[in-house]
Amino acid sequence: MVAPKAKTLTELVDEARNSDNAAWNELVHRLGGLVWAIARSYGVPRDDALDVSQTVWLQLARRLDAISDPERLGLWLSTTTRRECMRYLQHNRNRAPVVAERLDERASLTTSTEETILQSERQRLLWRAVDQLPDACRSLVRLMLNDPEPTYAEISEALGIPLNSIGPRRQRCLGNLKLRAGQL
């Protein structure tokens, strides 16, 4: 049995314009990770990233008829998400930075106090080193630290960089991060 051919973005957008819930669900399934990865790459906390994502999808619902090239929907979502993140950051600039978010929220409750303190300190130093990276590297590293890590295609679209340059840039950025972390 042959699996049905996946619909194009144009087909899904056309169906979503006609209030097809399955098409909306497929759009969110295909492109939701991109929106999420961008929001998290801007340092938006998890709970607030959910709000940012929801706002982006609501904006799409309101402007769906204005999308002239549905095959470029990922680009539209990327731009809209970045703008929404900037609004969020501007609105919340007086809040304490969310640099100390735990990388592994599934840490065992049986971990000793000393281990917890050491892990917290390592994470604090890591995020401090990440914050010292140049903007391009900082955005890439934050994206790579998402769970699940976005694909190279999602990273390319989110950051607007060629797909074939991600690997070399990733290697340079991680080397830069290693140097900065060693200096802390």
Side-chain angles (χ1 to χ4, degrees), residues 70-155:
E71 292 303 317
R72 295 182 55 131
L73 183 59
L75 181 60
W76 187 93
L77 287 169
S78 296
T79 300
T80 304
T81 304
R82 284 193 291 271
R83 288 178 180 157
E84 191 58 37
C85 287
M86 295 307 292
R87 273 192 280 281
Y88 168 84
L89 293 171
Q90 182 69 26
H91 179 63
N92 293 290
R93 69 177 175 261
N94 294 329
R95 285 178 50 187
V98 187
V99 196
E101 264 191 275
R102 297 183 62 178
L103 289 175
D104 185 4
E105 296 174 349
R106 297 164 286 190
S108 169
L109 295 176
T110 59
T111 304
S112 75
T113 304
E114 288 177 10
E115 289 173 359
T116 303
I117 291 170
L118 287 173
Q119 181 181 7
S120 177
E121 180 63 14
R122 281 192 300 268
Q123 289 174 2
R124 187 184 68 73
L125 290 173
L126 170 66
W127 285 114
R128 197 157 114 205
V130 168
D131 284 342
Q132 293 176 1
L133 291 171
D135 289 341
C137 280
R138 185 171 48 248
S139 296
L140 178 60
V141 169
R142 284 180 184 251
L143 273 173
M144 291 180 344
L145 291 175
N146 282 319
D147 184 23
E149 184 176 340
T151 65
Y152 273 24
E154 291 170 330
I155 292 171

Side-chain angles (χ1 to χ4, degrees), residues 34-36 38-39 42 51-64 67 72-88 157-158:
L34 173 66
V35 172
W36 178 257
I38 293 170
Y42 273 77
D51 292 339
V52 166
S53 296
Q54 185 174 10
T55 300
V56 169
W57 289 107
L58 181 60
Q59 288 179 25
L60 176 61
R62 290 180 178 156
R63 295 183 177 94
L64 191 60
I67 302 294
R72 295 182 55 131
L73 183 59
L75 181 60
W76 187 93
L77 287 169
S78 296
T79 300
T80 304
T81 304
R82 284 193 291 271
R83 288 178 180 157
E84 191 58 37
C85 287
M86 295 307 292
R87 273 192 280 281
Y88 168 84
E157 187 148 357

Side-chain angles (χ1 to χ4, degrees), residues 7 11 16 18-19 65-66 69 109 114 118 134 136 144:
K7 293 183 179 180
E11 292 169 327
N18 292 318
S19 302
D65 289 332
D69 184 0
L109 295 176
E114 288 177 10
L118 287 173
M144 291 180 344

Side-chain angles (χ1 to χ4, degrees), residues 3-4 20 26 42 45-47 61 96 114 124 134:
D20 184 330
E26 182 61 22
Y42 273 77
R46 288 184 191 275
D47 291 342
E114 288 177 10
R124 187 184 68 73

